[in-house]
Amino acid sequence: MAELEKTYNPVDVERKWTAVWRESRVFTPDARSSEPPFTIVLPPPNITGSLTVGHALGTTVQDLLCRWKRMKGHNVLWLAGMDHAGIATQKVVERALLDRGVTKDALGREKFLEECWTWKAKYHDRIVEQLGALGASLDWSRETFTLDPGVSRAVREVFVRLYRKDLIYRDRYIVNWCPACGTAISDEEVDFVETHGKLYYIAYPFAGGGGELVVGTTRPETMLGDVAVAMNPGDKRAEALRGKMLELPLTERAIPVIFDEAVDPTFGTGCLKVTPAHDATDFLIGLRHRLDPVVVIDRTGRMTAEAGRFAGLDRRAARAQVLAALEERGLLRKIDDYDHAIGHHDRCGTAIEPYISRQWFLRMRTLAAPGIEAAKHGAVTFTPDRWGNIYLSWMENIRDWCVSRQLWWGHRIPVWYCGDCDETIVAVEAPAVCPKCGGAKLAQDEDVLDTWFSSWLWTFSPMGWPETTEDLETFHPTSVLVTGGDIIFFWVARMIMASFEFMGEIPFSTVYITGIVRDAKGRKMSKSLGNSPDPIDIVGRSGADAFRFTLMMLSPPGQDIMFDESKVDVGKHFANKIWNAARFVLGQEADVAGAAAGFGAGGSRAASVDTPAGLHEAVFGDAADADAAFGWEDRWIVSRLAKRAAELEGHIDAYRFDEASRTLYDFFWHEYCDWYLELSKAAGRQGGLRGRGASITARAVLGASMILLHPMMPFITEEIWSMLAPGRGVLAGYRFPGVPARSLDGALEADVDFFKEIVAAIRNLRQSFNIPPGKPVGVVLNCEGGRGIPARLDRFREQIGLLAKVSDLTIADGAARPPGSVAAGLSSIEIYLPLAGVVDIEAEKKRLGKDLEKITRECEKVEGRLKDARFTEKAPAEVVEQEKNRYDEMSDRRRRIARILEDLG
RNA sequence: GGGGGCUUAACUCAGCGGUAGAGUGCUAUCCUCACACGAUAGAAGUCGUAGGUUCAAAUCCUACAGUCCCCACCA
């Protein structure tokens, strides 16, 4: 075997396995498999750019689940795909074109779309590379893009079906309009930003004189489009003002005073200027009072002809000029500072302009009903569960969804208008002639659909819907959805609605919401901020395994994580530790590799020991040579392995990946490496059957560890696996039968804990007295009064010697304390360590005095509790029992320390 | 205006009713024949504040403070 590098170098190893996995097709499931299905759909990344650390987190969680389930014997489909991200992509492509001095309008629709496809190809490849580098076990054979013909067909089908059910309608309505992007957007795409603004008080004189009403507004420029002034009908002034008209300043128009419940009489002056064309509330008031809107701001944010002499001005400039004009006329009564939230487009940050336009809408209320029931009854659950409440409150207050976008990049709305008879034709395929008049002058709706109108079909559209396919039958509903809390409304909720509507079932049973990855300053990592390192760079520097492990360790469910690349060192060091442990184990006698396949001198043990079950049989079995071959430490590590494997399974099932990573880390580093491998060195030196037994255990537990670690750290485990058992096939495709729970040995584990305590105490004494680590010492263990302790400790002799560098060990009931020795007291035993030189009695007294003080304090606390009748009567019996045992142990230890102290005089 | 998260060792975070934990950092000793991306030992915490429930509270309840986030048609 080639000499292994001293330090693990992930780059070559990872590249190799990415290629091997791809060729092995272990990530491409067969829809006809008899194994139980497990499905995850990858939240399709936007092709706007490359992935962030946030994506790496979600990807790792999904990959971990998929690999775990695959090894557990599931038929796993992790479906790959990407999203065309309509508005976001159109934006970035436009910007890129602008850098070349080209505008999209100059280019025209067709050419512009070609540019988008070029962009898509580039970033698609980059994202594939990133996902590969992270080790994602995605099925690329089923890869889908949200503009693929199949998805497009599904989108049109859905549109038509919803239209026929009268759930989709077209209407002129006030929508959120982005003047910069030139399109309508949905309510969900509006971010409200707290802004320091002003509240302007403007006087509107009564027509024909006789006073005025003062209105308060944050947007004085919209007054040009006012059609009324509204007051609450309960307002004291109401009766006197009924039927009154006001002169709208700066215009020739007179407007009525009206009364509407929507007006808060306590706000401002209690008078609200009503501008139906430029405010959503006012639009509704306008509808109720049959007032025609006056549009004074156009789709680009400029004042219209209706704005009179302000026409052509940008809305910001118009505000200044309107205010100046009002000031001049003495109608501007007051300006207050006023903080309020202003809606901005989440993609470009432009202030939203409420705007009346003809758009397509989807009625949501009926669609939401089954989705609400599903969450309430647990058919769909959220982890952490508080997200379920957020989902429900949104679903229960759902509003119609504006699905049309005035963009080019996206699914064209499947609606045609007849130029002859004005007929509207909604169809999956483009009609040749108008079905009503037979005319051929058909024009398709110019608009496209909201991106999410294709994404919401994501659990089934890539599997071939509306056809009934094997994939749909096998893999739908999917199992888990892993995504961020920020797209619950955009995506998760809508997928649930779409799946109920078109599949008649849930899309997934569990929604796992990851935390948000933030930078060191606490800002969310995003493409637009440019504050996320490229995952590929991190992988290049530290390795995907290190990165993945670190992400899992840092992310308790639902907690945001403050990511800093230096944190990846934890994973990097761990990978290095794993590598070196393997180096050590693999470096042991070469013939062990053969022995591992079938242990036993006379072939009495043909069972393979490189599976957890086989190892159990070998170590715990009753064959004649078991006792000679395996020591207590072998049985101990196998017992620990069984325990840790069970813990790991529990943590993964509970989506506690942080706990899972800790379990693996503690087991492998602190139990297997720190204790077991060190212990096995003694047996190794002994050689013979015993030496082989130890080597076999070391190898088999290493192998089992690779299995357990694989979902989290796929590359390094695959590499070590291949060295442990060449020709066995890839670990990624290995079916893991589990570690037998019968390997557990609680009594042995308790004894080993005692052993570890003794070793630690001796090491502590050595350090306290500056005994060089390499210098052997003699040690006496006095077990006076400890029932049967000497016999129990006897089997640990050799190992105490090895791990604490003890050359001469005496274990006895009532052993004498050697002169000139220092001592430590544990519960059940005293430890004497003779020193060659003179002991500083005073310093020693001080050290032990501190120990005694501490143990006494704790002892008294427990004693006090035990003496309290309220405790002994009310606390559960097992707690009282436990406290009693604790007290016994602590008081024994206290007695021993006190005695050692006394001896010092 | 509602709703939620967070506040534990210098830092980043676990623990969520019965002995305060980890990683990093720090101190000391060691290049012990797998690993200095290492080993061993150690120092380090009024568990945000104030009340309450309980035999027992970092853990449950109630306020409050700080902080971050979501939702909301008071212009």
Side-chain angles (χ1 to χ4, degrees), chain A residues 211-234:
Chain A
E212 63 188 27
L213 282 181
V214 177
V215 299
T217 181
T218 55
R219 300 200 60 196
E221 70 278 15
T222 65
M223 55 110 29
L224 301 168
D226 285 1
V227 298
V229 167
M231 295 173 80
N232 190 285

Side-chain angles (χ1 to χ4, degrees), chain A residues 600-621:
Chain A
S604 62
R605 200 154 314 175
S608 166
V609 296
D610 60 2
T611 66
L615 181 67
H616 171 89
E617 292 310 326
V619 175
F620 291 91

Side-chain angles (χ1 to χ4, degrees), chain A residues 651-681:
Chain A
H651 290 142
I652 292 177
D653 287 347
Y655 301 99
R656 288 304 306 259
F657 309 118
D658 57 329
E659 297 280 10
S661 70
R662 262 175 266 275
T663 295
L664 290 164
Y665 187 92
D666 286 342
F667 172 71
F668 194 84
W669 197 312
H670 297 308
E671 294 179 335
Y672 181 66
C673 290
D674 287 352
W675 288 99
Y676 179 74
L677 287 186
E678 291 306 320
L679 285 166
S680 77
K681 286 175 182 173

Side-chain angles (χ1 to χ4, degrees), chain A residues 326-362:
Chain A
L326 289 167
E327 178 85 87
E328 202 179 295
R329 285 162 178 72
L331 296 170
L332 190 55
R333 286 299 141 82
K334 192 166 62 155
I335 303 177
D336 285 348
D337 285 329
Y338 185 63
D339 294 346
H340 61 133
I342 295 178
H344 290 74
H345 185 192
D346 63 357
R347 285 289 158 196
C348 70
T350 305
I352 288 304
E353 195 61 53
Y355 182 71
I356 297 173
S357 59
R358 178 161 295 181
Q359 303 287 346
W360 288 95
F361 295 89
L362 178 53

Side-chain angles (χ1 to χ4, degrees), chain A residues 178-191:
Chain A
C178 177
C181 300
T183 181
I185 58 174
S186 67
D187 295 338
E188 286 66 42
E189 288 164 276
V190 179
D191 277 343

Side-chain angles (χ1 to χ4, degrees), chain A residues 762 766 775-781 797-798 800-802 804-811 818 831-834:
Chain A
I762 297 171
R766 296 182 60 113
K775 189 184 173 192
V777 293
V779 164
V780 176
L781 300 183
R797 275 183 165 283
E798 190 194 348
I800 290 173
L802 177 76
K805 269 272 186 254
V806 177
S807 55
D808 177 16
L809 181 67
T810 306
I811 304 175
I831 299 171
Y832 307 133
L833 196 161

Side-chain angles (χ1 to χ4, degrees), chain A residues 31 38 50 97-98 123 151 189 200 211 215 350 409 412 462 509 531 596 676 698 730 857:
Chain A
F38 179 85
S50 55
L97 282 172
L98 228 45
Y123 283 94
V151 175
E189 288 164 276
Y200 303 92
V215 299
T350 305
W409 179 242
R412 194 85 177 256
S509 45
N531 59 343
Y676 179 74
V730 292
R857 222 181 306 128

Side-chain angles (χ1 to χ4, degrees), chain A residues 67-307:
Chain A
R67 287 182 185 269
W68 175 256
K69 289 291 179 181
R70 207 177 280 123
M71 292 177 94
K72 281 282 175 187
H74 284 76
N75 187 31
V76 174
L77 169 61
W78 185 15
L79 205 140
M82 293 181 206
D83 198 297
H84 68 283
I87 204 162
T89 303
Q90 176 150 339
K91 270 289 196 205
V92 292
V93 172
E94 267 184 63
R95 202 171 308 132
L97 282 172
L98 228 45
D99 288 345
R100 285 157 37 197
V102 185
T103 67
K104 90 174 192 312
D105 293 308
L107 213 55
R109 191 163 189 152
E110 291 310 312
K111 282 275 192 310
F112 179 78
L113 289 179
E114 282 171 24
E115 292 289 336
C116 290
W117 281 105
T118 306
W119 178 281
K120 180 251 171 184
K122 178 177 166 192
Y123 283 94
H124 166 271
D125 291 355
R126 180 167 186 78
I127 291 167
V128 171
E129 187 192 352
Q130 286 180 307
L131 289 168
L134 286 166
S137 60
L138 284 156
D139 176 14
W140 291 103
S141 78
R142 290 174 168 85
E143 184 188 359
T144 306
F145 182 55
T146 53
L147 284 182
D148 281 349
V151 175
S152 179
R153 165 79 214 277
V155 164
R156 280 175 279 136
E157 180 76 30
V158 159
F159 190 98
V160 171
R161 287 195 195 181
L162 291 171
Y163 179 80
R164 293 199 179 131
K165 284 183 84 168
D166 194 31
L167 290 177
I168 278 184
Y169 62 95
R170 195 180 193 214
D171 196 11
R172 267 181 71 80
Y173 202 82
I174 192 149
V175 294
N176 305 295
W177 184 268
C178 177
C181 300
T183 181
I185 58 174
S186 67
D187 295 338
E188 286 66 42
E189 288 164 276
V190 179
D191 277 343
F192 284 91
V193 181
E194 207 49 51
T195 311
H196 299 301
K198 305 279 184 196
L199 186 58
Y200 303 92
Y201 289 86
I202 306 168
Y204 288 10
F206 285 115
E212 63 188 27
L213 282 181
V214 177
V215 299
T217 181
T218 55
R219 300 200 60 196
E221 70 278 15
T222 65
M223 55 110 29
L224 301 168
D226 285 1
V227 298
V229 167
M231 295 173 80
N232 190 285
D235 196 301
K236 289 191 294 287
R237 300 166 287 185
E239 272 321 304
L241 297 177
R242 200 167 292 280
K244 288 268 193 180
M245 294 297 283
L246 295 158
E247 283 174 18
L248 183 62
L250 313 181
T251 72
E252 306 293 311
R253 292 192 287 123
I255 56 175
V257 177
I258 61 170
F259 301 92
D260 194 284
E261 292 287 350
V263 182
D264 176 356
T266 66
F267 186 88
T269 60
C271 299
L272 169 71
K273 61 189 267 315
V274 179
T275 323
H278 302 289
D279 183 278
T281 307
D282 295 5
F283 180 80
L284 295 175
I285 294 175
L287 284 183
R288 285 197 284 272
H289 298 267
R290 299 178 195 286
L291 297 164
D292 285 335
V294 174
V295 176
V296 292
I297 302 172
D298 70 13
R299 53 165 50 203
T300 65
R302 292 185 172 278
M303 305 309 285
T304 65
E306 289 278 8

